[in-house]
Amino acid sequence: MMTRTFLVALIGLSMGSFGWADNPNKPDDNTTPPSAETSVSPLPTITGGLVFNSTFTPGTQSYSPVVNPIVLVPLGNRFLFESEYNVNSDLTRDHGAWNPRQLNREIEYMQLDYMVNPHLTIVVGRVFTPFGIYIERYHPEWIRDLQVAPIIFGISHQQSMGAELRGAVHLNSKVDLTYTGFYAFNSTINYFTGDRGLGGRTSLFFPEKGVEAGFSYNRRLGDNRFNLYAFDGTWNMKSIPLDLRTEVFKTGMLGNGYWVEGAYRLNKHSHNSFLRKSQVVLRGEQYFTPSAADMAMTSMSGMMMGDNFLPDQNTTRGFAGWNYWVSDAVKLSFAFGRSFALGENQNIYSLGITYRFATGGSEK
Amino acid sequence: MKSTLAIAFLTSLLMAVPAAAGNPSKTPHSHEIDGEAAYKANCTRCHIAIHTYSARSERTMISHMRVRANLTKDEADAIFQYMAGEQKPKAAPTHTAKGAAIP
């Protein structure tokens, strides 16, 4: 029932947007500022990150080099092919002995974007399943503030094969509404696997205040059928260099959880260049395993979700981190965390270096 | 409870279209968008430091960000003009979230 309602909503939305494109009264593309659009044609570009991360917990050290190139191929002004690959290795030493080396290769996404009109883009291919903010915004290590992802990223780190309708509208001069709706089919093709599902995310964004509040809904229609809900909030403060972010997930058989993160740039406080290039980060998070009733409905055991493992016990974790930009492309990150779970309290140290690269030359 | 949430979500999605379509005047034209303000309000939400590239690569990257960050075309165009055009800030090669260049 809900599935059908959602489909109807998506179709309605897309028809609305198409109709809109045809509306002669709308300024749309005609208002393109003269020079930018016409004189500069977009160039295929390769970007991405190189990462070396290490995490230390008592008895275990793990080192993970990661390369994730992104290929961007514009096809005229309205189409963009974009794809991100991830090659990483997990070198883990457990109580003095190395585990077998693993090399993981993954297509994070491979999609064709068609910018239908100023407010609507249709995307087809392998996409990040739109759910919350972490997956789309902070999956690259060079962007995120703490190298260790929140526990509930184990729920949202997921890709789908299908189509998305996404975009934004200015509700008025102070508020934007953004939307991303998707429908995915079941796929078992190697590197392009995905479950049937649908849903999306919508948010209200107040640009002047730097505040965004979003809500996501997913219905998974694979072997297990269930609903997932997420709330996300971000506040990029204007008066002080503080960014606050949070995500709250309620996902039934995958458990519930949240994280809250604050990142503070020290640039306002000092002329000392070391401090000016530094940022301190704090994160608190909790994860609650599914209830017995929810567990009974699932055929999953151990809850392996892609590369991400969800703990089998309620877990509370806190991190304090520090980032230092050696240059605008190179970031050093250090963090200390402590995780609390029944009988398994432990310290976590993480040390990482990320390098962000891009072809396209530097414009200085 | 669950269906109420879903309905709220759908309604907000559906509201988007008529709300904006019925008020074309409320959708600012691109020339009304201040590139610098749009840049500051949008790009620095997710990035601390944004390097600038050649204009042609930047066009591609800003299209990429238009899709990734759910920006409208007029915002993306205004930001492109700000970053690649005459309005480009002369002082710092790197724009940063809170004003100071890194490094």
Side-chain angles (χ1 to χ4, degrees), chain A residues 2 4-10 202 215 217, chain B residues 3-16:
Chain A
M2 203 143 83
R4 205 177 317 144
T5 324
F6 202 85
L7 273 180
V8 170
L10 272 189
T202 182
F215 173 72
Y217 163 72
Chain B
S3 48
T4 322
L5 273 177
I7 289 164
F9 177 61
L10 296 177
T11 324
S12 63
L13 272 184
L14 285 171
M15 292 284 281

Side-chain angles (χ1 to χ4, degrees), chain A residues 98-115:
Chain A
W98 289 98
N99 289 347
R101 187 181 65 95
Q102 287 182 14
L103 187 71
N104 310 308
R105 275 163 297 174
E106 197 188 9
I107 297 176
E108 294 274 15
Y109 59 81
M110 184 185 277
Q111 61 189 61
L112 183 69
D113 310 334
Y114 170 39
M115 290 161 243

Side-chain angles (χ1 to χ4, degrees), chain A residues 2 5-6 9 13 16 20 26-27 29 31-33 35-37 40-43 45 72 74 77 80 82 109 113 115 117-119 136-137 142-143 166-168 170-171 176-180 200-202 205 207 212 215 217 229 236-237 241 243 245 265 267 276-277 279 325 327-328 356 358 360-363, chain B residues 1-3 5-7 9-10 12-17 19-21 24 26-31 33 40-42 44-57 59-61 63-64 66-75 77-78 80-81 84 86 88 93-94 96-103:
Chain A
M2 203 143 83
T5 324
F6 202 85
L13 183 74
W20 196 356
K26 285 287 298 161
D29 291 353
T31 57
T32 303
S35 57
E37 173 92 355
V40 181
S41 58
L43 191 72
T45 300
L72 302 172
N77 281 328
L80 176 70
E82 47 165 316
Y109 59 81
D113 310 334
M115 290 161 243
N117 72 36
H119 310 274
E136 284 205 3
R137 301 185 182 180
W142 62 270
I143 297 183
R166 56 190 299 156
H170 306 294
L171 294 183
D176 292 351
L177 182 140
T178 79
Y179 65 90
T180 305
R201 171 176 180 270
T202 182
F205 174 49
E212 184 181 9
F215 173 72
Y217 163 72
Y229 304 92
N236 303 107
M237 287 187 198
D243 295 331
R245 304 169 174 137
R265 279 281 309 282
N267 58 355
R276 292 180 69 83
K277 295 176 202 164
Q279 180 191 47
W325 278 264
S327 73
D328 69 337
R356 187 220 9 77
S362 179
E363 182 99 345
Chain B
M1 161 63 186
K2 285 182 177 173
S3 48
L5 273 177
I7 289 164
F9 177 61
L10 296 177
S12 63
L13 272 184
L14 285 171
M15 292 284 281
V17 173
K26 283 195 179 173
T27 306
H29 300 196
S30 40
H31 60 257
I33 289 204
K40 287 190 175 142
N42 287 292
T44 58
R45 284 155 67 195
C46 303
H47 300 287
I48 272 263
I50 299 173
H51 198 76
T52 35
Y53 299 93
S54 70
R56 292 188 62 197
S57 284
R59 268 275 285 155
T60 309
M61 292 169 178
S63 290
H64 185 204
R66 171 177 161 191
V67 180
R68 169 65 72 233
N70 297 59
L71 305 178
T72 60
K73 178 179 190 294
D74 47 13
E75 281 165 341
D77 286 346
F80 173 69
Q81 287 201 317
E86 296 97 60
K88 190 163 69 175
T94 299
T96 68
K98 312 299 175 188
I102 302 174

